[in-house]
Amino acid sequence: MSARVPGPVMVAAGCGGTGRELEPYLGPAGLDGLDFVTRSITLDARPGGPGPRLVEVPGGIVNAVGLPNPGLEHFLATELPWLVRAGARVIVSIAGATMGEYADLARRLSRAPGVAGLEVNVGAPDEVGVGLFEVREPYHSASVIAAVRREFPADRPVLAKLRPDVSRIVEGARSCHEAGATAVVVGNAVPAAFPDGRAGGLSGPAIAPIALRCVATVHQTVPEVPLIACGGVRDAASATAYLRAGASAVQVGTALLHDPTTLARLRADLETSHQEDP
Amino acid sequence: MAESRAPVHVTGEVVATKRIGGYRHLTLTAPGVPESFRAGNFVAVTVEGHVARRALWVHRVRASSAFGPTLDVVVETRGSGTAWLAAQPVGARVTITGPLGRPFALPKDPVSCLLVGEGYAAAPLFPLAERLRERGCQVSLLVSAPDEAHLLSALEARRSARSVTVLTADGSVGQRGTVADHVDDLLVRSNADVVYAAGPTAVIRAAAAAAERAGAWSQVAVEVPTPCGTGLCHGCPLPVVGEDGVDRVIRACTEGPVVRGDRVRWEAM
Ligand SMILES: Cc1cc2nc3c(=O)[nH]c(=O)nc-3n(C[C@H](O)[C@H](O)[C@H](O)COP(=O)(O)OP(=O)(O)OC[C@H]3O[C@@H](n4cnc5c(N)ncnc54)[C@H](O)[C@@H]3O)c2cc1C
Ligand SMILES: Cc1cc2nc3c(=O)[nH]c(=O)nc-3n(C[C@H](O)[C@H](O)[C@H](O)COP(=O)(O)O)c2cc1C
């Protein structure tokens, strides 16, 4: 039994609030049937980093939000049931400091009702700074994926979210796929800095060409790896570029911060263009 | 609350623009926003070519006008976004999301209230004063500013407020001094049970501290830069003590911007 790859339009981790804040902007269907990736959840609650957490730059934003989240227990008790009731297909993004933490998260989430899948955050732009498991080599991410896959039912997807670094992405995607990832998300925010030098991640339209290069390269080299594109998707054209390059789905992040109705529009547009395609 | 107050994301239009002192007052249509506005709500505005949104307090709403329902904002030019907004002529289209954030909570009983605001941030206190007066509350208003050019006119508020005190740091109009200098005294004179404050952190902190000294409740409207304004990005951290006594960091745009003054961890801001 193999898991279905979600999509074609998904909410990117950390850019949809808890779901409730996005709902007013999703049109009559609301969250029903939407692939919603949560912000990264850790075992223990995290307050997140100090302000300013986001700074605007031409074509995007640099963020160092610091993974604020209520911890697994509170998430399971409050945010998850709400999302499930709203009809979302909930993909829980998980982040840990050790492989053991990732495995723990996966085991406990496998028993929680309504979890449609997991996305493993293994390519954060400043993972050391925020205290996450450090990924220097492709086998680091692959071993995390293997540990998660062992704990999570095979009929539900495990997505590996990687850094969009064209010099490493092919190896990363291949090894995560071999370790059991249903699909690879390309990718996270690009390592960057605030004007004062503080580490952060760049996202938004500025990074779309970077992630597109990574998606195209992975697809050409290892076409058997299902790909989900993420980075600067804001309209049908930017989404279609990824789908043409070999991605089977796209995630929308920063665009929602600029226009929270982006997702509703994109879902409608992509459905229309699918129908128009011969 | 039974009625639906979900925010909307709409294209509105500038229907009036007026320079008053150091501020630009804009009147905008924004279908669905004025209708569900409550005092203390804000709107997020899109600035062309910028990813992040700009937050603005709603100064007033009109249920009907020649243009339908409208809302007023008061713009102080700070950087490129507010400069762009202030320059928009009548007829310009503006993308607006709102109403956003938790509004001021209104007392159930007709108590005595002191409203304290500084600069453009005094804007939400004017619709609040009207609501309070409708409930039979006695309203005292303290408006302050660095100088006369940055003082919101309290003329209209005189209808809703029993007393109006004007303060400027340079003494160009009203009494000279800061909110911190005068708020304790006013609290005693107005015999207020509740203090509502909006303005820079130093001002609302002083108002909250004075309320605590006097045994009054306080509600403060906090300005933390809000990149999206809608609660999606978690980019506007506000350190508070939760109802359960546990330290938390909440989103100023969603769990705020109005919070109880005694819950803010000012030293962590
Ligand atoms: C809840 C709330 C209500 C507000 N109400 C008003 C109002 O009624 N009238 C008014 O003139 N101003 C108001 N502000 C402040 C206003 O949003 C900022 O001055 C404005 O965003 C600055 O944008 P800019 O492009 O002109 O400046 P820049 O300095 O170029 O802005 C760069 C970035 O920093 C952000 N930023 C900088 N300073 C602030 C700040 N103090 N608050 C929020 N974001 C900031 C901007 O949004 C932008 O993303 C309010 C802020 C908040 C949080
Ligand atoms: C405010 C913010 C918070 C984010 N939080 C997370 C997170 O918790 N986990 C994660 O894997 N990625 C997180 N990301 C990265 C996004 O999910 C996405 O991969 C990245 O921003 C690139 O896509 P975009 O250009 O569409 O935003 C965050 C991004 C932003 C801007």
Side-chain angles (χ1 to χ4, degrees), chain B:
Chain B
M1 271 162 263
E3 84 218 76
S4 158
R5 296 192 59 252
V8 293
H9 181 82
V10 293
T11 303
E13 198 180 311
V14 177
V15 298
T17 165
K18 190 156 58 163
R19 187 178 176 84
I20 304 179
Y23 297 130
R24 175 65 63 167
H25 290 237
L26 295 178
T27 302
L28 300 149
T29 58
V33 182
E35 292 87 337
S36 49
F37 161 79
R38 302 235 178 123
N41 284 145
F42 68 98
V43 291
V45 170
T46 302
V47 178
E48 256 173 88
H50 290 263
V51 172
R53 316 287 307 282
R54 270 52 177 179
L56 299 163
W57 300 113
V58 176
H59 184 32
R60 159 210 278 243
V61 299
R62 287 182 197 80
S64 61
S65 75
F67 312 96
T70 59
L71 62 88
D72 286 8
V73 293
V74 180
V75 185
E76 174 170 50
T77 298
R78 183 187 307 252
S80 55
T82 43
W84 176 87
L85 191 62
Q88 293 311 296
V90 168
R93 299 186 150 246
V94 181
T95 304
I96 296 171
T97 312
L100 295 167
R102 277 206 187 167
F104 290 111
L106 302 174
K108 289 195 178 58
D109 303 315
V111 296
S112 176
C113 305
L114 173 63
L115 281 49
V116 180
E118 178 159 307
Y120 65 74
L125 299 181
F126 293 78
L128 174 67
E130 286 175 34
R131 289 293 85 68
L132 290 171
R133 203 196 55 159
E134 283 165 13
R135 292 185 166 229
C137 295
Q138 294 212 332
V139 176
S140 305
L141 180 66
L142 168 61
V143 260
S144 85
D147 52 38
E148 184 172 9
H150 296 93
L151 192 71
L152 284 192
S153 166
L155 273 183
E156 285 184 49
R158 292 191 193 272
R159 276 185 292 138
S160 334
R162 189 180 51 152
S163 85
V164 176
T165 307
V166 170
L167 281 183
T168 49
D170 64 359
S172 52
V173 58
Q175 301 179 51
R176 181 191 297 269
T178 65
V179 166
D181 300 335
H182 291 267
V183 67
D184 284 287
D185 188 38
L186 254 168
L187 240 169
V188 173
R189 276 196 281 136
S190 61
N191 198 20
D193 305 293
V194 186
V195 176
Y196 292 96
T201 304
V203 167
I204 58 176
R205 183 178 186 172
E212 212 157 335
R213 281 192 291 274
W217 293 100
S218 70
Q219 295 228 346
V220 295
V222 187
E223 266 186 38
V224 176
T226 50
C228 73
T230 48
L232 299 178
C233 80
H234 291 261
C236 52
L238 175 60
V240 298
V241 183
E243 307 259 330
D244 51 6
V246 177
D247 281 5
R248 283 212 181 76
V249 179
I250 60 173
R251 290 167 293 182
C253 70
T254 304
E255 285 93 26
V258 177
V259 292
R260 267 173 54 179
D262 60 335
R263 296 230 174 272
V264 180
R265 290 186 282 133
W266 300 102
E267 64 297 338
M269 277 191 74

Side-chain angles (χ1 to χ4, degrees), chain A residues 46-267:
Chain A
R46 291 172 58 108
R53 288 179 172 180
L54 273 79
V55 63
E56 197 179 47
V57 294
I61 50 178
V62 176
N63 89 79
V65 175
L67 305 180
N69 79 93
L72 182 64
E73 201 126 331
H74 192 269
F75 170 79
L76 291 175
T78 59
E79 294 181 22
L80 178 65
W82 186 89
L83 284 165
V84 172
R85 273 198 303 278
R89 282 201 292 262
V90 187
I91 298 173
V92 181
S93 169
I94 57 174
T98 62
M99 252 197 285
E101 280 188 19
Y102 278 103
D104 241 23
L105 284 157
R107 182 178 334 106
R108 293 174 60 186
L109 281 160
S110 73
R111 300 189 205 117
V115 175
L118 298 182
E119 181 178 280
V120 189
N121 182 353
V122 275
D126 176 32
E127 78 265 53
V128 179
V130 294
L132 296 188
F133 185 76
E134 189 180 358
V135 175
R136 287 185 310 274
E137 302 296 334
Y139 72 82
H140 287 133
S141 26
S143 28
V144 171
I145 296 301
V148 166
R149 193 71 276 190
R150 270 195 294 279
E151 303 290 351
F152 201 72
D155 60 346
R156 284 186 269 164
V158 168
L159 314 177
K161 186 174 184 185
L162 304 179
R163 202 172 284 151
D165 172 356
V166 73
S167 65
R168 312 304 297 264
I169 193 74
V170 171
E171 265 323 291
R174 192 205 317 264
S175 48
C176 286
H177 184 59
E178 283 166 2
T182 315
V184 172
V185 182
V186 179
N188 216 310
V190 173
F194 280 69
D196 66 4
R198 200 156 49 101
L202 176 65
S203 66
I207 71 166
I210 298 174
L212 182 59
R213 170 81 185 275
C214 290
V215 167
T217 306
V218 174
H219 185 66
Q220 283 153 18
T221 326
V222 277
E224 68 277 14
V225 179
L227 288 173
I228 297 171
C230 180
V233 173
R234 60 196 176 284
D235 53 18
S238 49
T240 309
Y242 281 125
L243 299 176
R244 291 222 174 94
S248 53
V250 296
Q251 296 187 348
V252 187
T254 301
L256 296 173
L257 314 184
H258 175 73
D259 176 350
T261 63
T262 305
L263 210 77
R265 204 164 37 251
L266 200 54
R267 284 177 102 182

